[in-house]
Amino acid sequence: MLRTHTCGELRLTDIHKTVTLTGWVQKSRDLGGMTFIDLRDRYGITQLAFNTNWNSDLVEKARSVGREFVLQITGTVIERENKNLMMPTGEIEVKVTTFVVLNSAVTPPFTIEDHTDGGDELRMKYRYLDLRRNTVRQNLELRHKLALETRNYLDSLQFIEVETPVLIKSTPEGARDFVVPSRMNPGEFYALPQSPQTFKQLLMVSGFDRYYQIVKCFRDEDLRADRQPEFTQIDCEMSFVEQEDVLQVFEGMIRHLFKKIKDIDLPPLPRMTYEQAMREYGNDKPDTRFGMKIHDVSSLVKGKNFKVFDDAEVVLAINAEGAAAWTRKQIDELTEWVKRPQIGATGLVYARHNPDGTVKSSVDKFYNDEELSGWAKELNSGTGDLILVLAGPETKTRKAMSELRLEMGNRLGLRNKDTFSCLWVVDFPLLEWNDGDPNLLASLAGRWHAKHHPFTSPKPEDIALLSSNPGAVRANAYDLVINGVEVGGGSIRIHSSELQSKMFEILGFSKEEALKQFGFLMNAFEFGAPPHGGLAFGFDRLCSLLGGADNIRDFIAFPKNNAGRDVMIDAPSEISQEQLHELRLATLPLNKSV
Amino acid sequence: MLRTHTCGELRLTDIHKTVTLTGWVQKSRDLGGMTFIDLRDRYGITQLAFNTNWNSDLVEKARSVGREFVLQITGTVIERENKNLMMPTGEIEVKVTTFVVLNSAVTPPFTIEDHTDGGDELRMKYRYLDLRRNTVRQNLELRHKLALETRNYLDSLQFIEVETPVLIKSTPEGARDFVVPSRMNPGEFYALPQSPQTFKQLLMVSGFDRYYQIVKCFRDEDLRADRQPEFTQIDCEMSFVEQEDVLQVFEGMIRHLFKKIKDIDLPPLPRMTYEQAMREYGNDKPDTRFGMKIHDVSSLVKGKNFKVFDDAEVVLAINAEGAAAWTRKQIDELTEWVKRPQIGATGLVYARHNPDGTVKSSVDKFYNDEELSGWAKELNSGTGDLILVLAGPETKTRKAMSELRLEMGNRLGLRNKDTFSCLWVVDFPLLEWNDGDPNLLASLAGRWHAKHHPFTSPKPEDIALLSSNPGAVRANAYDLVINGVEVGGGSIRIHSSELQSKMFEILGFSKEEALKQFGFLMNAFEFGAPPHGGLAFGFDRLCSLLGGADNIRDFIAFPKNNAGRDVMIDAPSEISQEQLHELRLATLPLNKSV
């Protein structure tokens, strides 16, 4: 090694030792006769001292190095005069005796500090410099530790990590696949997996019993904020289990991770049905760090000649505790906020629960005091609270109310990143109607679409509804939700080839299509498939949650931007004609009709 | 759980317990009044007992189940009358009281036994059944353990596992890339990484100091036996190191793995230069489980009027100990063997070292006893040994002699799979001349090509040769070789952008090409790159070696065949016109000139 110690290692007990350190110049201070350099590596920072009284040549040399130069120095550990007890190495410094510049550095385009002056785009372009910042490096250290603890936990329960293939077959029933042309098989393509779903089910058919994998998956979707075309899952599957077994094992995993990473003892995770989540939170991934549940006040408010409410399919209300003091201006601004196209409400009705116990609303001409007291009672509001009401079509209004609830949670400081509220959402619907999801191929519109995926088992008691009322069939499916984020999800799978065929039929596959796409799985089920189920966690998201951050990008070493581009390496990019020709492919001009 | 115990768990101490087991029917025996079923799961086999005296309905039901049916049974653990001490559960059986067929099974196309009657193709098509076989499952269990121990070792030395991207940029300087068309960026492509080389170097520039990753890599090459288009590497990199540091750390890793997996204490690994390996073994990955080194006997044998030797560029010999008793027929067959086109020798000369001490050769008319004794002395042969001689052009003959040596090692039983001989081969040449490698794009022929990759550092003392005699420049590059297999390889990297530019120039890149392909790396080097180096291990190969197997396929859950096809899922395959159109691509007919 070019060093004897790291820059985070030396203490008072090392005094008088001769040491060699390597690292980057964090900063240097020139105090006339003395020069100090902070030398940084992954492990910490050590102060280097130069003094004209010791060696004036060395001081000259030290003055000439700039930020981010790479140095190798040898010297003696001495006690500092001015100790810095905020730094682990702050009681010592190294009196430098020899000094090599291993590499010079041009000035970085932004400062390598916890709070940098670099904007997002610049940081992405020079990601290798951004990664020098402690905060970003610590995120990736957390990711490493999270992966290791995940493996330790699952290994202790006899799960086997099995690598499944990356070059697989395109199955355009879900989101779009990335495809890979095969040179050896011209005209044919591999696809990159959106998940190892079918392979992990085959491993259960093989008797692997308990499988996991921390694995890259790929989805070619129009990227929204904070989605990546490649992402990492903790993918798991178990045999001879019922839903309760899966929930127990993975609740244990989440508890293990919180304990090891955050030293937090999570309480047992509550369960909530999809129906309840939609009703009380307007959302299948409720943020339960705070209450402010949604109440359907339709029956309470209709029939009082207020046309907006009378004409609405549904009238929903929440109680924002302690917000009665909000000014008219604040409420007007909130009204504008709910009317933005992303939220889509047509207006906002409110009622203040005043300190004197009266309730005053923005629609007082339609509702008398007694009626408004009825609102307060329904919403369990007290003096000082603010009731907010939205009305309109059911689905849209529930969604808007969910957004408003989260926004009020933000504004009232109820969504602290260091507080964690975890729960299981269960009993999802098996199917949903696709009326033109832009993330699916256009040819799949106007069909039932699997809410989780086509291998999810319906609840046995709902199987009879499959033909008569597919939308009402509930699945043995579950999501793990933390702080309003879906962190994981899974299901008990179908293990009968007959029921699986039936599912493909409902999803609009012809027998031929089903066989062509998934024949191998249905065949496998003929040879003795065990009951099985599992789930997958979004690893990037789990890292960012445990890291107390909003976005996943800073927990990915080399992320892509919202256009799916790696701006550092400039990918994707054109390839040579020679490569295209070998693949028997031609690119079509953008304006050519196809 | 649908079970209380696994099929590998019950012992005499469990007698009288009521248990529920789940698993597959391995076999059943109908002995009239009694029926026995062997129930199998991943953990073992337990014998189930049925008796008409206990319950004749159950016996009827037990008789009706076939091989590989999935059962759930409940019963009482009883002591066996006929104990089988070869099985961990062989002292007990379960007297079944209730019995559910969880799934039936059609008859598998081959037997689910350690030695199956299924051929390779059938086993691949029904890989999920092949994986039920103990031997194959144990291979994947070994792989899991190997990965876990690798991580434990590297984690203990403060290596961080960092995931690098899979969707990167095509860099056609090496083997061919698999490419991925981007729908969001029409006409542009991502490439799948052949290795995370540039990213791990960027992580060193970022100060990560010690990085590793167990990672899938991809290479679109014309597949040879036992190569896979996707393969797994243990990829590692360290900063502030010299070659010796890298060798120490990873020799430690290999020693750790052998100890943990095989309980073998490896001796310190010898080092051999590339030059010595080529000279003594004709091969840069010598199998050192046995000697039989290659001797250049040119000076000894030339000038005796034997035209074949006189005209040859080189005459090489090995001493096959104990093979003097081989019959003429055996030697004739060996002669045919060396003349096969894969070996390419024109003939084989031999000399027997007889029990009476005389040496008799197939070319006695040219060489007298004294001269033949000279051969024996040079090759250090004793009575009972057989000297084998090949002559011809240097490169070809050395390669043929290496093959012959390995073949003789096989035939003489010197290549035991349970014996391990590991070594480092060092001082590789930096460059080799590409005169039309079919695994490279045709446009790269007639150029210098990087033997390891373009980022490998030349030895400082050889840098002066870069311009004058590139072929003579040695690299700070090293391979780990076990039993004649290159298991890992790496190098100290270039960390100066100037030297890196020079390398690209030698490799025939124009300045523009180099910037377009690798500008991000050369830029990164401007901001303070530390000296760094590392290596990568072929994880599939390491698994198969430690598993005592020849081929890597049985250590991969879902491998592809030699045509790059997954015959189980039938990939690659055609994709829909809708998918192609969204990607703005057209496939060209095979016969169309492009």
Side-chain angles (χ1 to χ4, degrees), chain A residues 3-54:
Chain A
R3 67 190 176 214
T4 57
H5 296 75
T6 70
C7 294
E9 199 173 345
L10 297 170
R11 299 287 183 276
L12 272 183
T13 48
D14 296 302
I15 276 179
H16 305 314
K17 278 188 192 158
T18 299
V19 299
T20 300
L21 302 182
T22 53
W24 286 262
V25 174
Q26 178 72 28
K27 62 178 178 202
S28 62
R29 276 154 299 148
D30 184 359
L31 309 178
M34 297 204 67
T35 291
F36 296 100
I37 289 178
D38 280 354
L39 195 67
R40 183 195 72 232
D41 66 11
R42 173 184 137 198
Y43 311 94
I45 285 180
T46 297
Q47 178 165 295
L48 312 180
F50 303 81
N51 191 317
T52 43
N53 295 335
W54 303 334

Side-chain angles (χ1 to χ4, degrees), chain B residues 381-427:
Chain B
S381 74
T383 58
D385 292 352
L386 179 68
I387 293 169
L388 298 170
V389 188
L390 296 178
E394 165 90 37
T395 307
K396 193 174 170 186
T397 306
R398 210 165 270 284
K399 194 170 168 302
M401 189 49 108
S402 169
E403 295 294 333
L404 177 59
R405 173 182 173 272
L406 293 172
E407 179 65 17
M408 290 306 292
N410 285 337
R411 294 190 186 196
L412 296 173
L414 304 173
R415 305 180 73 192
N416 182 345
K417 287 193 205 321
D418 299 323
T419 304
F420 296 95
S421 179
C422 314
L423 76 157
W424 291 106
V425 177
V426 299
D427 295 355

Side-chain angles (χ1 to χ4, degrees), chain A residues 1-3 22 24 42-43 68 70 103-108 128-129 131-132 137 140-141 143-144 148 151 155 158-170 176 178-181 183-185 188-190 199 202 205-210 216 218 220-222 230 232 240-241 245 441-443 495 520 523-524 526-531 557-558 560 563-565 568-573 578-579 582-590 592, chain B residues 1-3 22 24 42-43 68 70 103-109 128-129 131-132 137 140-141 143-144 148 151 155 158-170 176 179-181 183 185-186 188-190 199 202 205-210 216 218 220-222 230 232 240-241 245 441-443 495 520 523-524 526-530 557-558 560 563-565 568-573 578-579 582-590 592:
Chain A
M1 297 290 299
L2 301 183
R3 67 190 176 214
T22 53
W24 286 262
R42 173 184 137 198
Y43 311 94
E68 303 304 321
V70 187
N103 219 336
S104 61
V106 299
T107 306
Y128 46 87
L129 296 178
L131 288 170
R132 283 188 188 168
R137 197 197 57 247
L140 294 184
E141 286 172 350
R143 186 180 177 109
H144 166 67
L148 211 64
R151 288 191 163 98
D155 189 61
Q158 299 194 277
F159 281 78
I160 299 183
E161 185 161 27
V162 179
E163 291 175 59
T164 53
V166 176
L167 296 172
I168 65 165
K169 181 182 178 135
S170 186
R176 286 185 187 83
F178 283 108
V179 297
V180 182
R183 183 176 56 91
M184 306 256 287
N185 305 275
E188 298 188 331
F189 294 75
Y190 302 99
F199 290 97
L202 290 175
V205 173
S206 299
F208 271 72
D209 203 71
R210 295 181 163 209
K216 274 278 173 75
F218 306 87
D220 184 9
E221 54 187 1
D222 301 328
E230 54 179 297
T232 303
F240 301 115
V241 289
D245 304 309
L441 288 171
S443 56
H495 66 280
F520 62 97
N523 274 341
E526 304 276 4
F527 290 99
F558 299 101
K560 295 189 173 53
R565 220 166 228 305
M568 179 186 72
I569 62 172
D570 188 28
S573 59
E578 189 181 7
Q579 284 176 290
E582 284 200 342
L583 296 168
R584 316 296 307 173
L585 283 181
T587 53
L588 300 177
L590 264 186
K592 189 180 156 187
Chain B
M1 295 291 298
L2 301 183
R3 66 191 177 214
T22 53
W24 286 261
R42 173 184 138 197
Y43 310 94
E68 302 303 320
V70 187
N103 219 336
S104 61
V106 299
T107 308
Y128 46 86
L129 296 178
L131 288 171
R132 282 187 188 167
R137 195 196 61 247
L140 295 184
E141 287 171 351
R143 186 181 178 109
H144 166 66
L148 212 63
R151 289 191 163 98
D155 188 61
Q158 298 193 277
F159 281 79
I160 299 184
E161 185 162 26
V162 179
E163 292 174 60
T164 53
V166 176
L167 296 172
I168 65 165
K169 180 181 177 136
S170 187
R176 286 183 187 84
V179 297
V180 181
R183 182 175 57 89
N185 304 276
E188 298 188 332
F189 294 75
Y190 302 100
F199 291 98
L202 289 177
V205 173
S206 299
F208 271 72
D209 203 69
R210 296 183 161 206
K216 274 278 172 75
F218 306 87
D220 185 10
E221 54 187 0
D222 300 328
E230 54 179 297
T232 303
F240 302 113
V241 290
D245 303 308
L441 288 171
S443 56
H495 66 280
F520 61 97
N523 273 342
E526 305 276 3
F527 291 99
F558 299 101
K560 294 189 174 52
R565 279 205 96 71
M568 180 186 72
I569 62 171
D570 188 30
S573 59
E578 189 181 7
Q579 285 176 288
E582 284 200 343
L583 296 168
R584 317 295 307 175
L585 283 181
T587 54
L588 300 176
L590 264 186
K592 190 180 156 188

Side-chain angles (χ1 to χ4, degrees), chain B residues 191-250:
Chain B
L192 304 182
Q194 298 184 30
S195 93
Q197 185 62 35
T198 48
F199 291 98
K200 70 175 173 178
Q201 292 193 244
L202 289 177
L203 287 172
M204 294 305 106
V205 173
S206 299
F208 271 72
D209 203 69
R210 296 183 161 206
Y211 144 92
Y212 80 98
Q213 190 181 187
I214 301 185
V215 60
K216 274 278 172 75
C217 300
F218 306 87
R219 201 170 292 161
D220 185 10
E221 54 187 0
D222 300 328
L223 296 173
R224 287 174 270 166
D226 218 23
R227 287 272 193 141
Q228 292 278 318
E230 54 179 297
F231 53 97
T232 303
Q233 291 195 343
I234 307 172
D235 190 50
C236 308
E237 198 78 3
M238 303 170 73
S239 288
F240 302 113
V241 290
E242 293 167 305
Q243 174 168 311
E244 187 59 30
D245 303 308
V246 180
L247 300 191
Q248 290 290 346
V249 165
F250 292 98

Side-chain angles (χ1 to χ4, degrees), chain A residues 268-527:
Chain A
L269 270 55
R271 315 275 171 91
M272 188 185 292
T273 64
Y274 172 84
E275 186 277 325
Q276 184 188 355
M278 292 307 289
R279 183 160 37 81
E280 296 186 348
Y281 299 91
N283 198 315
D284 60 5
K285 38 182 194 286
D287 185 343
T288 50
R289 278 175 296 186
F290 64 108
M292 210 189 286
K293 289 182 189 170
I294 299 173
H295 291 245
D296 185 337
V297 295
S298 305
S299 61
L300 217 59
V301 303
K302 286 196 173 197
K304 310 290 172 182
N305 296 320
F306 181 38
K307 198 169 152 38
V308 172
F309 285 179
D310 285 353
D311 291 353
E313 190 181 356
V314 74
V315 184
L316 302 175
I318 54 174
N319 174 29
E321 289 180 19
W326 277 28
T327 63
R328 180 61 195 257
K329 196 177 156 200
Q330 280 179 294
I331 292 176
D332 283 349
E333 192 272 322
L334 193 65
T335 306
E336 288 313 306
W337 187 89
V338 300
K339 286 161 88 173
R340 297 187 318 158
Q342 301 94 308
I343 311 298
T346 48
L348 176 68
V349 166
Y350 65 91
R352 282 199 177 88
H353 201 133
N354 290 318
D356 61 5
T358 61
V359 180
K360 293 285 166 203
S361 82
S362 56
V363 288
D364 273 1
K365 60 178 158 177
F366 301 105
Y367 300 93
N368 60 32
D369 286 356
E370 194 187 335
E371 284 160 348
L372 291 174
S373 291
W375 295 20
K377 194 171 166 211
E378 163 68 24
L379 282 143
N380 214 9
S381 73
T383 57
D385 293 352
L386 178 70
I387 293 169
L388 299 170
V389 188
L390 297 178
E394 164 90 39
T395 307
K396 193 174 171 188
T397 306
R398 210 165 271 285
K399 194 170 167 304
M401 188 48 108
S402 168
E403 295 293 334
L404 176 59
R405 175 181 171 272
L406 293 172
E407 180 64 18
M408 290 307 292
N410 284 337
R411 296 191 185 195
L412 296 173
L414 304 172
R415 303 182 73 191
N416 181 345
K417 286 192 207 322
D418 298 323
T419 304
F420 296 95
S421 178
C422 314
L423 77 157
W424 291 106
V425 176
V426 298
D427 295 356
F428 276 81
L430 184 69
L431 301 163
E432 62 187 356
W433 187 255
N434 169 16
D435 41 31
D437 182 337
N439 275 315
L440 303 177
L441 288 171
S443 56
L444 297 172
R447 288 192 192 184
W448 287 106
H449 184 70
K451 180 137 181 106
H452 273 71
H453 53 58
F455 314 108
T456 302
S457 175
K459 283 192 176 285
E461 60 268 34
D462 290 0
I463 286 181
L465 294 171
L466 269 175
S467 310
S468 57
N469 185 5
V473 176
R474 291 166 306 159
N476 270 325
Y478 32 80
D479 277 359
L480 179 74
V481 175
I482 304 181
N483 292 3
V485 175
E486 179 204 324
V487 169
S491 62
I492 298 299
R493 325 298 184 185
I494 295 168
H495 66 280
S496 129
S497 56
E498 202 183 337
L499 183 55
Q500 188 64 67
S501 299
K502 172 88 180 165
M503 263 302 281
F504 284 131
E505 194 185 309
I506 291 167
L507 296 171
F509 281 76
S510 71
K511 216 166 198 136
E512 294 66 39
E513 282 169 338
L515 269 176
K516 197 175 162 207
Q517 299 288 342
F518 296 110
F520 62 97
L521 188 68
M522 290 193 287
N523 274 341
F525 283 175
E526 304 276 4
F527 290 99

Side-chain angles (χ1 to χ4, degrees), chain A residues 173-294:
Chain A
E173 105 292 346
R176 286 185 187 83
D177 289 320
F178 283 108
V179 297
V180 182
S182 168
R183 183 176 56 91
M184 306 256 287
N185 305 275
E188 298 188 331
F189 294 75
Y190 302 99
L192 304 182
Q194 298 184 29
S195 94
Q197 185 62 34
T198 50
F199 290 97
K200 70 175 172 177
Q201 293 194 240
L202 290 175
L203 287 173
M204 295 304 107
V205 173
S206 299
F208 271 72
D209 203 71
R210 295 181 163 209
Y211 144 91
Y212 79 99
Q213 190 182 186
I214 300 184
V215 60
K216 274 278 173 75
C217 299
F218 306 87
R219 201 171 292 162
D220 184 9
E221 54 187 1
D222 301 328
L223 296 173
R224 287 174 269 166
D226 217 24
R227 288 272 192 141
Q228 291 279 318
E230 54 179 297
F231 53 98
T232 303
Q233 291 195 342
I234 307 172
D235 190 51
C236 308
E237 197 79 2
M238 304 170 73
S239 288
F240 301 115
V241 289
E242 293 167 305
Q243 175 169 311
E244 186 58 31
D245 304 309
V246 180
L247 300 191
Q248 290 290 346
V249 165
F250 292 97
E251 188 166 326
M253 186 179 98
I254 288 296
R255 187 166 287 119
H256 174 84
L257 295 178
F258 269 87
K259 183 67 188 169
K260 290 286 180 179
I261 308 292
K262 307 287 292 183
D263 197 25
I264 289 175
D265 289 296
L266 285 185
L269 270 55
R271 315 275 171 91
M272 188 185 292
T273 64
Y274 172 84
E275 186 277 325
Q276 184 188 355
M278 292 307 289
R279 183 160 37 81
E280 296 186 348
Y281 299 91
N283 198 315
D284 60 5
K285 38 182 194 286
D287 185 343
T288 50
R289 278 175 296 186
F290 64 108
M292 210 189 286
K293 289 182 189 170
I294 299 173

